[in-house]
Amino acid sequence: MVQKEGFEWLRKKGDNNGFEVEEGQVIATGYRCNRFFKPKDKNRGVKGKHSVNISTIDFSGILTVTNPESLINALYKGIGPAKSFGCGLMLIRPAR
């Protein structure tokens, strides 16, 4: 399930970020779900009842560059929804 849904997420992200992936060329590993709690706000008297759940997946494999400018932009800005937590960052290197 993680492989299928993770691949589909990455494939969709590729449409707008200058790359495409093929099924069987990318492996989704390292699935984690983390929960972060909002700290108590002393100034407003708000207790830490709110939490944020972030799920992450590590991908490895081969992608094909379809639009170099868009891919460079994605490398600088990231592609995930939780970029402030360091998610959606890409490490790209030439295929061997």
Side-chain angles (χ1 to χ4, degrees):
M1 186 162 132
V2 170
Q3 176 65 34
K4 183 179 177 183
E5 291 181 16
F7 172 79
E8 190 59 30
W9 178 87
L10 186 62
R11 187 191 63 73
K12 288 177 184 177
K13 287 294 182 179
D15 292 343
N16 296 324
N17 290 292
F19 66 90
E20 57 186 34
V21 291
E22 293 183 30
E23 204 160 359
Q25 294 289 317
V26 175
I27 299 171
T29 61
Y31 174 77
R32 292 180 298 280
C33 184
N34 299 307
R35 176 176 282 179
F36 299 92
F37 291 93
K38 181 178 178 181
K40 185 175 181 179
D41 187 338
K42 294 177 184 177
N43 297 327
R44 296 185 191 182
V46 177
K47 295 182 181 177
K49 294 181 181 179
H50 303 286
S51 66
V52 176
N53 294 320
I54 298 176
S55 298
T56 60
I57 301 174
D58 295 330
F59 294 99
S60 61
I62 297 175
L63 61 77
T64 302
V65 177
T66 58
N67 183 328
E69 288 183 26
S70 293
L71 180 63
I72 289 170
N73 190 44
L75 290 173
Y76 282 109
K77 294 185 176 182
I79 62 170
K83 290 182 280 294
S84 62
F85 290 94
C87 299
L89 303 176
M90 300 176 73
L91 170 63
I92 304 291
R93 58 181 169 226
R96 296 176 193 203

